[in-house]
Amino acid sequence: MQEFFILKDSTNPTLEMELIEDGRYSFREEIMNEALQDSTITFTMIDTETNIPKISKAPANIVLANTNSCEEKYLLQYQWKKRDVNKEGTFKAFFDINFNGMIKNGDYIFPQGNLKVPIENDLIII
């Protein structure tokens, strides 16, 4: 489980999660990069007590991380709005990546569809 702490009524810091290739899928990096550039990213946050969404499919961003590595890494980002943080509580959150099109590179086709992130660990906002 990953935890992210933010103060009530504070819109900083921006929520950032690194998009990690977990080895479950074998794809070439250039295909994934192209697919990510043609995708829609959303953020959802659900109150753990009431199970009611506080944020539902709000637009989010994906940016290239600033690293000293030769390997490209991406960050999923959500910039808080005042209405998102006007209530204290504990929330379960996730990003969705909706791949908008069929990306073909040689014999490999990256499919259209939706990927819920994080896959492995829950993201808890406190």
Side-chain angles (χ1 to χ4, degrees):
M1 172 173 37
Q2 279 187 281
E3 293 182 339
F4 180 85
F5 297 91
I6 189 162
L7 296 174
K8 180 181 174 191
D9 297 324
S10 175
T11 57
N12 287 315
T14 299
L15 174 62
E16 291 186 335
M17 284 192 70
E18 185 177 344
L19 184 60
I20 298 173
E21 184 180 338
D22 64 2
R24 289 186 223 182
Y25 306 100
S26 60
F27 48 81
R28 293 195 298 269
E29 188 174 307
E30 68 274 6
I31 296 171
M32 182 61 166
N33 293 345
E34 191 175 336
L36 284 171
Q37 291 172 20
D38 185 35
S39 64
T40 304
I41 314 297
T42 60
F43 177 72
T44 298
M45 186 171 83
I46 301 167
D47 189 312
T48 58
E49 282 186 27
T50 63
N51 218 23
I52 296 173
K54 176 74 173 161
I55 304 168
S56 184
K57 296 191 180 285
N61 297 309
I62 189 163
V63 296
L64 197 55
N66 256 345
T67 64
N68 292 331
S69 170
C70 60
E71 192 177 317
E72 288 187 343
K73 296 199 180 268
Y74 290 92
L75 295 175
L76 300 174
Q77 293 181 331
Y78 181 71
Q79 180 59 56
W80 302 102
K81 295 163 190 60
K82 285 278 188 192
R83 68 177 179 264
D84 300 337
V85 291
N86 63 1
K87 176 186 172 198
E88 292 181 0
T90 303
F91 303 87
K92 185 175 179 179
F94 59 88
F95 288 90
D96 275 312
I97 302 174
N98 188 6
F99 296 103
N100 295 323
M102 299 287 273
I103 307 291
K104 185 169 181 165
N105 188 320
D107 294 332
Y108 189 89
I109 297 176
F110 197 92
Q112 228 174 344
N114 196 298
L115 174 65
K116 186 176 179 178
V117 180
I119 296 169
E120 191 172 335
N121 296 316
D122 287 339
L123 172 61
I124 302 297
I125 310 293
I126 301 173

